[in-house]
Amino acid sequence: TRTSRPQRILKAVQRKATVGDPQSVITAIDHFCRHREWAMNVGDEKGSILDSVVNEVSPVTVLELGTYCGYSTVRIARLLPPGACVITLEFNPDYAAIARQVIKWSGLEDKVQLVEGASGDWIPWMKEHFGVQAFDLVFLDHWKERYLPDTKLLEECGLIQKGTVLLADNVICPGTPDYLEYVRNSPHYNSQYYRSHLEYTKAEDGLEKSVFLGY
Ligand code: SAM
Ligand code: MG
């Protein structure tokens, strides 16, 4: 039977990466996706911007929307200090199963809480279920029409506080016009575009970093 792309990505990790070495997992996935099969990971070029934002924020609690194979989860988790963690949401059970193995292979399972389900269903339960006060960093990388409604939902649920940083991927390609218009025009956010390229291509894409300033 034919394997899926995520299964082939996992195979590449198992063949090329060292157990317990997150950087080798990242390198194996980037190599596979650049030379064999394109996949929707944030990738190495935008990934280094993601790394610098994680380092700058130095978050204790991170929320990631859209796990896919766990590539960006591993990128984020490897930079977290002891005691910090990333909660990552994925509604496709087949992708979640692959991501669990990729995260395990990286040795980062203690820093990652992978939640299987839809963002709109889970966000209202975050405080109760995980005991989080608010997130220091939110990485938005799920379906693009969900960026804006989920941001408003996070605000309503009190999960965004003064200083919370939203980092949104693919704001140009495929694009998130309603979200960009919101964060760029709201007096409650200080928003900045980081120009880059769509993962593993030369097409323009970028990340939007928006700092919540409080009400
Ligand atoms: N962040 C990943 C990375 O860079 O390695 C890539 C994530 S991929 C672009 C988007 C993922 O979000 C898909 O796996 C999709 O199944 C998932 N997704 C889309 N909408 C979602 C939602 N509302 N709730 C949870 N997961 C969602
Ligand atoms: Mg993306």
Side-chain angles (χ1 to χ4, degrees):
T1 62
R2 255 180 74 78
T3 59
S4 67
R5 179 166 304 172
Q7 285 170 332
R8 294 189 291 275
I9 290 174
L10 174 62
K11 277 258 150 51
V13 166
Q14 293 167 338
R15 244 186 276 117
K16 295 280 177 63
T18 308
V19 171
D21 177 358
Q23 189 54 56
S24 73
V25 170
I26 291 164
T27 304
I29 296 176
D30 282 329
H31 189 270
F32 183 80
C33 294
R34 191 172 285 284
H35 300 288
R36 298 290 199 88
E37 294 180 50
W38 184 92
M40 57 182 167
N41 322 117
V42 69
D44 46 2
E45 191 185 342
K46 287 182 293 176
S48 75
I49 301 170
L50 170 61
D51 289 357
S52 58
V53 171
V54 174
N55 284 329
E56 174 199 314
V57 175
S58 188
V60 175
T61 52
V62 182
L63 175 65
E64 174 177 73
L65 301 177
T67 317
Y68 190 44
C69 297
Y71 171 90
S72 54
T73 315
V74 167
R75 278 200 93 104
I76 295 166
R78 85 194 202 287
L79 299 173
L80 295 180
C85 82
V86 50
I87 297 172
T88 182
L89 296 189
E90 174 54 57
F91 67 13
N92 180 317
D94 298 326
Y95 297 168
I98 296 291
R100 275 185 214 290
Q101 295 174 76
V102 168
I103 293 158
K104 185 107 205 291
W105 199 274
S106 308
L108 291 166
E109 65 273 24
D110 291 349
K111 291 187 178 298
V112 178
Q113 187 75 248
L114 197 168
V115 181
E116 235 178 274
S119 52
D121 296 336
W122 267 101
I123 288 168
W125 296 101
M126 287 282 152
K127 289 203 178 203
E128 204 169 312
H129 200 86
F130 298 104
V132 286
Q133 288 302 312
F135 291 104
D136 301 312
L137 176 65
V138 181
F139 181 53
L140 298 95
D141 193 22
H142 55 335
W143 293 163
K144 308 314 157 193
E145 69 279 0
R146 289 299 309 177
Y147 284 27
L148 183 57
D150 284 342
T151 297
K152 290 180 174 169
L153 188 57
L154 287 164
E155 289 172 359
E156 282 162 26
C157 294
L159 290 163
I160 293 177
Q161 66 184 3
K162 193 175 173 190
T164 296
V165 173
L166 307 184
L167 188 66
D169 189 26
N170 307 109
V171 298
I172 302 298
C173 185
T176 58
D178 61 343
Y179 174 82
L180 277 190
E181 132 105 20
Y182 178 72
V183 290
R184 288 179 181 173
N185 295 312
S186 165
H188 305 301
Y189 289 93
N190 190 340
S191 206
Q192 189 183 348
Y193 176 60
Y194 291 77
R195 188 187 176 130
S196 185
H197 298 94
L198 179 70
E199 48 267 28
Y200 317 116
T201 76
K202 294 189 167 93
E204 183 182 343
D205 186 25
L207 296 161
E208 185 83 5
K209 176 188 160 194
S210 311
V211 184
F212 188 71
L213 303 170
Y215 292 107

